[in-house]
Amino acid sequence: MKESFRWFGPKDPVKLRYIKQAGATNVVTALHHISNGDVWTAKEINKRKKLIEKEGLRWSVVESLPVHEDIKKDSESCLFYIKNYIESLKNLSECGIKTVCYNFMPVLDWTRTSVEKKLDDGSKTMEFSKEALDAFDLFIVKRKKAKECLSKKEINDAELYLKKIDSTQIKNLTKSIIAGLPGSEESYEVSDFSKRVNEYSGVTKGLLRSNLIKFLSKIIPVCDKYDVKLCIHPDDPPFSIFGLPRIVSTYDDLLFIFNLFPSKNNGLTYCTGSFGVRLDNDLIKIFNDFSKRVHFIHLRNIKKDNKENFFESSLLKGDIDMISIMKIIIKEEENRLKKGIIDYEIHMRPDHGLQILDDLNKKSNPGYSAIGRLKSLAEIRGLSLALSS
Ligand code: DNO
């Protein structure tokens, strides 16, 4: 595996030097200062590349090249933004960066209801609570159709939840859900968020799928031409929230996307923590059946129930069996090597880390603390070395 660490650019409190000290060799990053939809020029890409290379690291994966909302909604300016996307892909490829992660989640990228859940040992993690999300939807955003998809009990639970929390907690809840977690590229105030969600009122799951098809039909030939491995990130969480459609949550969703465009450049970001939240997702089957399309891996663990609640656990202590996951990754790399594929190692980064030790007293991007992720990387390397030999 190509051991990587995500870096949010020069303003990231986790410096490139620390990434190097953590033992990663590759960096996953994006040009976060460029507005969503604008072209990434070769000049800007090279500037960032040099910064990374100066520290003896390599920029190997873009996470993410964001897909403009107008593409997801197929609005008037959709083709304009697709053209820009193509231009950015071409520039990235010409600068030697050929693995690009993206997502197709409407309005929000990943979201949590708390980024500061305290665990028994004093460490902190992120969680998604269904009643907290429902409370936010029903009583803070006041979405008109929110009640329609909830049972009486769910509405009651959300009401009770709201009664229990004070104004600071309401602020934190709002911030966690819509103020934009790191890498999201979009952040909202409540009124703006409500407007954005309403803009999707006619966009059904079928329509969102058509819009993805339209996007891929223009983009995949470009990826083939410029040798870019595009890899879609699953929905996080992998189910509908705020009544918005989600189309990258299950095995069948993937089957649909990959059957339409068989090119291997129509690839997957295999994110264990996102897929793993659903009880009906078989993580091993997903990997094995789409293994040739896995160009990028996010490893993290979660603990979940069967009611859409989950929190992020430490790498080896969650519901996901990391040992089995590691075994199939190693097997796939061995297969690639046997086939003579030179670039047989898959780009992998430890995904979110817990806040532990000094992380607890430092400001870092939620989920992207230095020590928590360093611990995960060390555990991954240990597993990988032991299982490969
Ligand atoms: C969260 C990340 C996501 C991911 C995007 C990919 O930590 O996994 O923000 O980068 O969904 O486009």
Side-chain angles (χ1 to χ4, degrees):
M1 272 178 302
K2 288 203 181 102
E3 291 154 4
S4 321
F5 234 58
R6 191 173 196 183
W7 182 58
F8 289 102
K11 287 193 191 142
D12 193 327
V14 181
K15 309 274 168 246
L16 285 171
R17 186 149 292 187
Y18 306 163
I19 293 179
K20 180 108 196 198
Q21 289 170 10
T25 47
N26 290 259
V27 167
V28 171
T29 193
L31 301 181
H32 297 286
H33 60 285
I34 297 182
S35 302
N36 191 349
D38 287 358
V39 172
W40 291 18
T41 60
K43 189 173 163 221
E44 285 298 311
I45 298 167
N46 277 323
K47 211 163 108 192
R48 178 60 56 88
K49 217 181 132 186
K50 275 202 190 114
L51 220 58
I52 295 168
E53 285 170 0
K54 220 171 93 194
E55 289 294 341
L57 294 158
R58 199 177 154 233
W59 180 7
S60 46
V61 179
V62 170
E63 182 179 358
S64 306
L65 184 58
V67 177
H68 196 276
E69 285 294 295
D70 285 1
I71 299 179
K72 297 179 205 163
K73 284 182 293 186
D74 191 23
S75 318
E76 248 173 63
S77 42
C78 170
L79 289 177
F80 167 79
Y81 287 115
I82 290 186
K83 231 177 96 223
N84 283 0
Y85 205 92
I86 291 175
E87 192 62 26
S88 301
L89 284 176
K90 178 175 158 279
N91 292 341
L92 281 163
S93 169
E94 283 170 357
C95 295
I97 301 155
K98 291 173 182 273
T99 305
V100 176
C101 169
Y102 73 109
N103 74 76
F104 218 77
M105 290 176 248
V107 188
L108 286 176
D109 186 342
W110 65 302
T111 196
R112 297 290 181 268
T113 54
S114 167
V115 295
E116 297 252 283
K117 179 187 168 69
K118 248 199 180 154
L119 296 176
D120 291 346
D121 61 3
S123 57
K124 285 186 185 164
T125 190
M126 299 191 283
E127 79 171 331
F128 184 91
S129 142
K130 164 106 169 84
E131 57 183 20
L133 190 98
D134 290 344
F136 178 72
D137 195 9
L138 286 164
F139 309 115
I140 297 167
V141 179
K142 302 190 176 89
R143 189 169 61 88
K144 281 197 194 103
K145 291 195 170 162
K147 270 193 178 155
E148 285 174 21
C149 23
L150 296 175
S151 67
K152 261 199 184 144
K153 173 159 184 343
E154 285 170 324
I155 297 172
N156 197 32
D157 287 349
E159 247 162 8
L160 288 176
Y161 174 85
L162 197 73
K163 275 194 193 136
K164 275 191 310 207
I165 61 172
D166 60 24
S167 59
T168 314
Q169 287 167 309
I170 292 182
K171 247 193 213 155
N172 287 340
L173 173 68
T174 306
K175 200 168 154 219
S176 302
I177 300 177
I178 60 170
L181 288 175
S184 297
E185 314 300 341
E186 303 281 356
S187 102
Y188 308 98
E189 298 290 332
V190 173
S191 59
D192 188 29
F193 174 70
S194 176
K195 198 173 136 237
R196 296 295 190 99
V197 171
N198 282 337
E199 286 169 6
Y200 274 86
S201 61
V203 184
T204 57
K205 188 169 173 169
L207 213 53
L208 188 65
R209 270 185 167 171
S210 311
N211 300 347
L212 174 64
I213 295 170
K214 179 170 173 182
F215 171 69
L216 290 177
S217 68
K218 304 251 187 295
I219 296 294
I220 295 300
V222 175
C223 292
D224 290 346
K225 181 167 171 201
Y226 292 100
D227 187 28
V228 172
K229 296 184 179 91
L230 196 68
C231 28
I232 198 160
H233 187 285
D235 305 321
D236 182 4
F239 41 77
S240 167
I241 47 174
F242 303 108
L244 295 164
R246 295 281 221 194
I247 55 169
V248 198
S249 298
T250 64
Y251 181 90
D252 287 345
D253 288 340
L254 298 178
L255 203 59
F256 177 84
I257 296 166
F258 299 141
N259 276 349
L260 273 171
F261 300 98
S263 162
K264 269 193 218 158
N265 292 326
N266 182 20
L268 176 65
T269 299
Y270 180 75
C271 176
T272 53
S274 300
F275 286 127
V277 159
R278 286 183 74 110
L279 292 168
D280 57 350
N281 272 344
D282 177 343
L283 263 62
I284 303 286
K285 184 169 169 59
I286 290 179
F287 187 92
N288 283 338
D289 287 7
F290 304 115
S291 58
K292 279 153 210 66
R293 294 175 189 279
V294 176
H295 306 309
F296 185 30
I297 296 174
H298 287 178
L299 293 178
R300 73 177 157 86
N301 217 327
I302 45 99
K303 275 192 170 285
K304 60 178 183 285
D305 64 12
N306 58 359
K307 296 190 183 93
E308 300 187 347
N309 300 298
F310 65 91
F311 69 88
E312 303 194 8
S313 63
S314 63
L315 191 92
L316 301 175
K317 284 200 177 151
D319 294 340
I320 301 168
D321 172 4
M322 277 299 158
I323 298 178
S324 302
I325 300 282
M326 197 60 66
K327 281 184 184 160
I328 52 171
I329 296 173
I330 292 169
K331 195 163 155 227
E332 171 61 18
E333 289 190 335
E334 282 169 1
N335 284 342
R336 291 185 190 190
L337 187 61
K338 262 188 224 146
K339 283 189 192 144
I341 299 173
I342 298 169
D343 224 4
Y344 68 93
E345 282 180 294
I346 310 176
H347 299 282
M348 175 284 306
R349 68 171 180 84
D351 205 358
H352 317 147
L354 267 54
Q355 280 177 267
I356 55 172
L357 312 175
D358 280 9
D359 289 336
L360 291 161
N361 309 314
K362 284 186 182 146
K363 205 172 153 40
S364 59
N365 289 304
Y368 289 92
S369 57
I371 304 175
R373 282 186 298 156
L374 160 68
K375 180 175 176 241
S376 299
L377 181 63
E379 289 172 341
I380 292 166
R381 299 172 95 195
L383 274 185
S384 164
L385 279 170
L387 295 168
S388 322
S389 59

